Amino acid sequence: MSKLSAWNYIRNSKKTVGVLVAALALSLMAMYVVYVLLDITSASFKRPMTELPERIVMGELDSNVLQMEQREGESSEAYSERYEARREELIEALKQKEYVRDAFHTQIINAPYFAIFGQCYWGSPLVEPEKIPELLEHMDARLIEGRLPSGSGEILVDSIVMKNQKLHIGDWFCRKAFGETFRVVGVIESDYMFCCGTPQGYSNNGWRLVILTDKEHADYKALLEAEGCKVAEENLDADVPYGKKVYKEETVDVIHSVVSVVSLVVSIFLAISVLVAYVSFLRNRMNEYALYTSIGFSRAEVYGMIMREMGIIFGGGALLGAGLSLLGALLINKLLAVPMGLISRIWYPGELMKYLIIYLMIMGVLQLPVLLSVNKIKTIDAIEEL
């Protein structure tokens, strides 16, 4: 006797099977696309949050950091002079370090960078025009369009940020925040999405101590505490330890939590939907199964046929879902990520493997109704006697 074919039911029930395959495929695609969209944020923010501070460290330098208090009877002018003297003393001490290229206290404006979900900002130093070449050299940045700043309120913007903000040379930078104050005069390219410019009066996002250093010493707290300062977390603006911490807590962990919730919700709804559908068509096929046992097939052979059918359906859903997922990721990359200057990937084999495991878990849940149905199979004679 030949083995029961798993294709007979599939060929004769194209509509039912098609709905199941489509549900499986679309669920996989939905989870994959959500992951791609969120991972764009994670991948794009990694550079400004964790790699940029490897070369340029920034933080507040107030009286608490310098461990200074106004003395009793001391005038505000005298205190200010003493504060400035202590600040310059600290800056000169930092400059003496062999791993510090330069240190200065200056105004900054925040360069905005928007992902499909979320946004981040980082400080861009505002310095005198003659200092710009030194900054560019330290950041391994090169001018690729326009010119270097020569007057007040002129900004150099990284090419990725230009694309992200849809800026052109001559446009106003951060116009919503500062109006027509800072004009883009040049486009630069580096590995760090670095921006810089010249001050325009006192239009800024604050003053920061800026330290040009190397990756091994890019720790604002350690650098200053070695000089007798006291740095709290609220004084940190950009360095490697702080950047990695914020990136993990506010980007990576949040995204992983959202992805996990979305995957769980989709998996639960998919499992319930498939379970209801399978229970329905198992009931509708009980006479068919009874016929197979009446002509000599065992319940184990019927069970094997059902599992082969399930394998074809889930396999078809997985293949179609993977194809749709990759197509969706490609469209997201071409239509959204690239035009916005964002970093994206198309191929995430680990995620696809996770979704295949979810499929296997759903197939495991389906074992209960399948085994119950197989156990209830009666022969044709037994059915007629009822």
Side-chain angles (χ1 to χ4, degrees):
M1 186 178 296
S2 61
K3 184 169 67 172
L4 287 171
S5 173
W7 288 102
N8 290 333
Y9 173 77
I10 293 172
R11 280 195 297 264
N12 296 326
S13 308
K14 293 183 178 65
K15 185 176 180 180
T16 301
V17 171
V19 169
L20 282 171
V21 170
L24 291 165
L26 292 175
S27 298
L28 190 156
M29 184 186 74
M31 292 186 286
Y32 193 86
V33 165
V34 168
Y35 182 85
V36 170
L37 289 171
L38 291 172
D39 187 69
I40 287 174
T41 299
S42 178
S44 299
F45 287 1
K46 183 178 181 181
R47 185 180 296 178
M49 294 180 74
T50 68
E51 296 177 10
L52 177 65
E54 292 176 356
R55 306 297 297 275
I56 185 166
V57 174
M58 298 184 196
E60 291 184 347
L61 191 58
D62 57 19
S63 57
N64 293 326
V65 174
L66 292 175
Q67 297 280 275
M68 293 184 63
E69 293 183 358
Q70 190 168 357
R71 296 165 182 164
E72 186 177 351
E74 184 179 27
S75 67
S76 297
E77 292 78 6
Y79 173 70
S80 296
E81 290 179 4
R82 189 161 59 88
Y83 166 80
E84 291 179 8
R86 171 66 180 118
R87 186 182 67 198
E88 292 307 312
E89 177 187 343
L90 171 64
I91 290 174
E92 288 303 316
L94 289 170
K95 287 181 179 180
Q96 299 305 311
K97 307 293 184 184
E98 61 180 10
Y99 44 79
V100 173
R101 177 167 184 164
D102 199 0
F104 47 90
H105 192 243
T106 192
Q107 302 177 58
I108 66 163
I109 59 170
N110 289 329
Y113 186 52
F114 299 95
I116 297 170
F117 297 109
Q119 61 192 46
C120 71
Y121 298 86
W122 62 94
S124 301
L126 301 176
V127 298
E128 295 306 313
E130 57 269 19
K131 206 171 188 65
I132 297 288
E134 178 191 358
L135 282 174
L136 297 183
E137 182 183 353
H138 179 74
M139 299 304 298
D140 296 327
R142 62 187 183 90
L143 183 71
I144 60 173
E145 187 179 353
R147 62 174 176 81
L148 296 179
S150 58
S152 300
E154 296 184 339
I155 303 293
L156 295 176
V157 182
D158 183 86
S159 58
I160 294 177
V161 180
M162 291 285 288
K163 185 182 293 186
N164 183 258
Q165 296 299 306
K166 296 181 172 56
L167 292 171
H168 302 88
I169 290 180
D171 289 347
W172 298 104
F173 189 64
C174 296
R175 187 169 187 168
K176 288 184 179 180
F178 298 107
E180 297 181 355
T181 303
F182 296 101
R183 188 183 293 277
V184 178
V185 298
V187 183
I188 55 179
E189 192 172 70
S190 75
D191 294 331
Y192 304 100
M193 294 170 62
F194 177 67
C195 304
C196 64
T198 56
Q200 179 71 283
Y202 292 97
S203 296
N204 58 57
N205 289 114
W207 290 72
R208 296 291 186 272
L209 172 61
V210 178
I211 306 171
L212 307 184
T213 185
D214 57 28
K215 180 178 179 180
E216 289 71 23
H217 300 89
D219 186 329
Y220 186 80
K221 185 176 182 179
L223 285 168
L224 267 64
E225 289 186 347
E227 301 301 325
C229 298
K230 185 177 181 180
V231 180
E233 185 166 297
E234 57 264 26
N235 303 127
L236 300 173
D237 195 61
D239 69 359
V240 171
Y242 182 68
K244 287 183 176 179
K245 178 178 180 293
V246 173
Y247 176 69
K248 180 181 184 302
E249 293 178 354
E250 298 185 8
T251 302
V252 175
D253 290 350
V254 171
I255 285 173
H256 284 174
S257 297
V258 173
V259 168
S260 298
V261 170
V262 170
S263 297
L264 179 62
V265 171
V266 172
S267 299
I268 290 173
F269 276 101
L270 177 63
I272 293 173
S273 301
V274 173
L275 181 62
V276 170
Y278 252 85
V279 168
S280 176
F281 79 71
L282 285 171
R283 287 176 178 174
N284 294 335
R285 296 178 66 192
M286 291 305 293
N287 287 344
E288 176 190 342
Y289 300 151
L291 177 60
Y292 291 145
T293 56
S294 298
I295 61 177
F297 288 103
S298 67
R299 284 186 173 85
E301 289 174 307
V302 174
Y303 171 79
M305 178 193 69
I306 295 172
M307 292 308 299
R308 289 193 295 276
E309 292 172 354
M310 190 183 297
I312 292 171
I313 291 170
F314 274 79
L319 290 174
L320 179 60
L324 291 174
S325 297
L326 294 176
L327 178 60
L330 181 62
L331 291 175
I332 289 170
N333 183 65
K334 295 293 184 183
L335 301 179
L336 291 176
V338 171
M340 291 178 66
L342 299 172
I343 299 171
S344 67
R345 292 167 50 198
I346 296 172
W347 176 239
Y348 295 90
E351 285 303 301
L352 289 175
M353 184 60 65
K354 184 175 75 175
Y355 304 145
L356 291 179
I357 292 172
I358 291 173
Y359 275 16
L360 292 174
M361 292 173 65
I362 294 174
M363 290 177 69
V365 172
L366 291 176
Q367 294 304 299
L368 181 59
V370 169
L371 290 171
L372 288 173
S373 297
V374 170
N375 189 57
K376 291 180 180 179
I377 295 174
K378 295 179 173 59
T379 63
I380 295 297
D381 292 341
I383 294 175
E384 291 175 349
E385 290 174 359
L386 294 176

